Amino acid sequence: QRVNVTVRSGLPMVLSGSAEPCAQLLVSSIGVVGSAEQNQRHSARFFDLLTAKLGLGPERIVIRFYPLEPWQIGKNRTVMTFL
């Protein structure tokens, strides 16, 4: 209910100077990705999933974490602050 996933395949991407297959994961969340310690745990789990499902080496994957505030997400005609 609180996770949304968008997959865009076939995009031209270059990672570390190489156009070989790669992936970029953007993770944004309220109160879940706000510290290095939290993101280290999330990163390990995401890398395990992505390397297994996509068949990519971890050096071909980049994860970017974006902490959000409740007022930055709109839902049900309001913002998360009030839900």
Side-chain angles (χ1 to χ4, degrees):
Q1 185 179 27
R2 301 234 176 206
V3 175
N4 298 300
V5 176
T6 301
V7 176
R8 295 182 186 154
S9 62
L11 295 175
M13 290 178 58
V14 174
L15 179 63
S16 299
S18 170
E20 292 298 313
C22 60
Q24 176 177 241
L25 175 64
L26 308 178
V27 180
S28 57
S29 181
I30 299 168
V32 178
V33 297
S35 73
E37 292 76 16
Q38 286 175 314
N39 293 346
Q40 185 177 35
R41 290 189 301 273
H42 298 315
S43 184
R45 294 174 74 190
F46 282 129
F47 269 93
D48 289 347
L49 175 72
L50 293 172
T51 55
K53 296 290 184 183
L54 300 178
L56 296 173
E59 72 283 354
R60 300 300 302 155
I61 299 170
V62 172
I63 302 173
R64 297 189 327 188
F65 295 98
Y66 294 96
L68 299 173
E69 296 297 326
W71 56 266
Q72 293 176 302
I73 303 295
K75 187 174 180 179
N76 295 335
R77 301 181 71 199
T78 186
V79 292
M80 295 299 291
T81 303
F82 304 109
L83 295 177

